[in-house]
Amino acid sequence: MSTRKGFSLPNPMVVASNPETIQIFKALATQTTEIRSSRTLVHTACTNCLKTDYEYPESKMQRCATCKSVWYCSKECQKANWPKHKSTCKKIDGSGIRRLVENFYSNTLLQRHLEACFVIHFDLLNHPQLDRPFMARVDVGIEPADIANFVSIFTGMDEQLDQQKKMQGMLQINAFTPLPASEMANLTSMRKSIWRKARDGANANGNQNYSVGLVEFGNGDVGGHTITCPVFISDPALEIVRISPPWIMKSAITGQQSEVPFNIDTCMEFMNTHIRSDKKDQLLLRTPMRPSDIKIIHDAGAGVDTIAAQILSAKMRREKIFTYLKVGPDGTRSIPMAQ
């Protein structure tokens, strides 16, 4: 049995699930029909003129065939935007993260906890921001839905996996990075316009007292492609933070319980655990693993210094499910169990 240098694997590796997980998931999970219905509220804007398919339903938005990350309402807009777009227009494998981001954004439970991250960092509970934008980048990744497959890739043992069979992956939230005030002062005209439209829309609907910001979804450093959306801070999100009790974590193997504080890190871990618990893809956040997704995990395991690998490594240090990766005093790593 060959492994990446520095790793030793016991035999067998123990994988277990908390028996309460399914019940908790069923009690909290947004229904598939609701997610699909909410997706009709997610609209595409032309990258050049910001015309949306909601305001101009006759416009048939066409996606850039190479990078699959920008949309145009006409060939004229595509040509006009090409001088700006060509530096980031790179071919990617698969269809990108757009569909997954739309499904994530259409999920009430996940959306509220993402809003809670904004409330915590920007202190929106005590200091609503009504007249200026605020923004954070959310880096997402695609990990194997089966934790054993993740371990195999991370430790360099994936040659034992069936490469002919599509490995099922799932969306994960890897990082929440607020933009500092210095960068907010230099927002692009496109992002300013997205925020202005969202702010005006909230005001027109009687939500003048709701904070409105921006969220940029990215996939590490894979191609540099991002998706920018407005984020509306709702009353339920404010209430989540207002109550903010410590959460109880329970090991599936030892049964040991521990309290964790309510903060941005634990909010992200909650969202990721909720997605991981979705065995039947009720949340529509599962997708085949792409070569680029597998490479990020490989790089993280090998210590390759890329942005995406660093972000994944930081996530692994935060989350309880990855505590089975033990680092010894001599730098060797073993994997006694996964939970």
Side-chain angles (χ1 to χ4, degrees):
M1 178 183 295
S2 63
T3 65
R4 180 172 287 136
K5 184 178 179 181
F7 287 92
S8 60
L9 289 176
N11 190 20
M13 180 178 70
V14 180
V15 180
S17 298
N18 190 322
E20 298 174 7
T21 299
I22 296 177
Q23 286 75 20
I24 294 172
F25 177 82
K26 288 181 177 179
L28 297 177
T30 303
Q31 295 298 312
T32 304
T33 51
E34 182 181 338
I35 294 170
R36 286 180 170 145
S37 176
S38 296
R39 278 190 61 180
T40 63
L41 303 176
V42 179
H43 301 289
T44 302
C46 174
T47 302
N48 184 61
C49 69
L50 293 184
K51 179 190 296 184
T52 68
D53 54 6
Y54 173 73
E55 297 169 301
Y56 301 90
E58 72 280 0
S59 299
K60 294 184 178 180
M61 298 290 174
Q62 298 294 319
R63 182 170 60 175
C64 175
T66 301
C67 69
K68 303 180 179 69
S69 66
V70 297
W71 294 73
Y72 298 104
C73 65
S74 65
K75 289 184 177 179
E76 290 73 22
C77 273
Q78 183 179 20
K79 290 179 180 178
N81 188 246
W82 177 244
K84 294 180 180 179
H85 178 55
K86 64 181 178 181
S87 62
T88 59
C89 187
K90 301 174 184 177
K91 187 174 180 60
I92 61 172
D93 57 317
S95 58
I97 60 172
R98 176 188 167 86
R99 178 183 63 83
L100 296 175
V101 167
E102 286 184 351
N103 289 338
F104 174 90
Y105 214 60
S106 301
N107 185 309
T108 303
L109 180 71
L110 297 176
Q111 187 180 24
R112 295 295 176 260
H113 282 80
L114 178 62
E115 292 169 21
C117 293
F118 280 88
V119 175
I120 294 168
H121 178 81
F122 293 102
D123 193 21
L124 301 176
L125 191 60
N126 299 309
H127 303 285
Q129 293 194 26
L130 308 178
D131 57 354
R132 64 187 186 280
F134 51 90
M135 182 172 175
R137 177 184 169 97
V138 173
D139 279 286
V140 301
I142 310 298
E143 292 178 16
D146 186 337
I147 189 67
N149 288 341
F150 182 97
V151 172
S152 295
I153 298 169
F154 187 80
T155 57
M157 292 180 60
D158 50 314
E159 71 275 3
Q160 299 181 14
L161 301 176
D162 185 356
Q163 302 296 337
Q164 303 302 314
K165 186 177 179 181
K166 286 278 187 180
M167 187 187 304
Q168 188 182 51
M170 61 182 176
L171 185 77
Q172 290 283 276
I173 307 302
N174 288 350
F176 178 89
T177 309
L179 267 66
S182 58
E183 290 190 35
M184 291 304 301
N186 297 312
L187 272 186
T188 64
S189 58
M190 175 180 291
R191 286 175 174 165
K192 287 179 182 177
S193 297
I194 292 173
W195 179 82
R196 187 72 263 170
K197 278 189 175 184
R199 179 71 271 175
D200 291 345
N203 294 345
N205 290 324
N207 296 319
Q208 299 91 332
N209 296 324
Y210 281 15
S211 299
V212 176
L214 296 170
V215 56
E216 176 191 58
F217 290 96
N219 190 195
D221 57 354
V222 181
H225 303 131
T226 63
I227 300 170
T228 301
C229 311
V231 56
F232 300 87
I233 307 303
S234 63
D235 286 335
L238 294 170
E239 188 64 17
I240 288 173
V241 178
R242 184 179 291 111
I243 297 172
S244 62
W247 288 351
I248 305 298
M249 303 289 289
K250 184 176 182 180
S251 169
I253 295 174
T254 67
Q256 183 178 357
Q257 291 190 166
S258 59
E259 284 191 356
V260 295
F262 184 92
N263 55 33
I264 291 174
D265 287 350
T266 54
C267 261
M268 288 192 292
E269 185 170 7
F270 168 80
M271 290 187 280
N272 289 335
T273 300
H274 185 69
I275 294 169
R276 187 180 296 278
S277 301
D278 180 20
K279 305 303 182 184
K280 298 182 179 180
D281 197 21
Q282 176 178 321
L283 308 181
L284 305 177
L285 293 175
R286 301 216 165 184
T287 187
M289 293 289 293
R290 306 169 299 179
S292 58
D293 303 319
I294 294 173
K295 184 178 185 302
I296 292 172
I297 301 171
H298 263 298
D299 289 349
V304 177
D305 192 23
T306 65
I307 295 174
Q310 290 175 6
I311 291 172
L312 176 58
S313 296
K315 177 200 182 221
M316 293 176 67
R317 288 192 293 271
R318 287 194 314 266
E319 298 196 347
K320 291 288 188 297
I321 195 170
F322 294 110
T323 55
Y324 57 81
L325 285 170
K326 305 294 184 182
V327 182
D330 59 351
T332 59
R333 306 186 189 189
S334 63
I335 308 179
M337 63 181 62
Q339 62 182 43

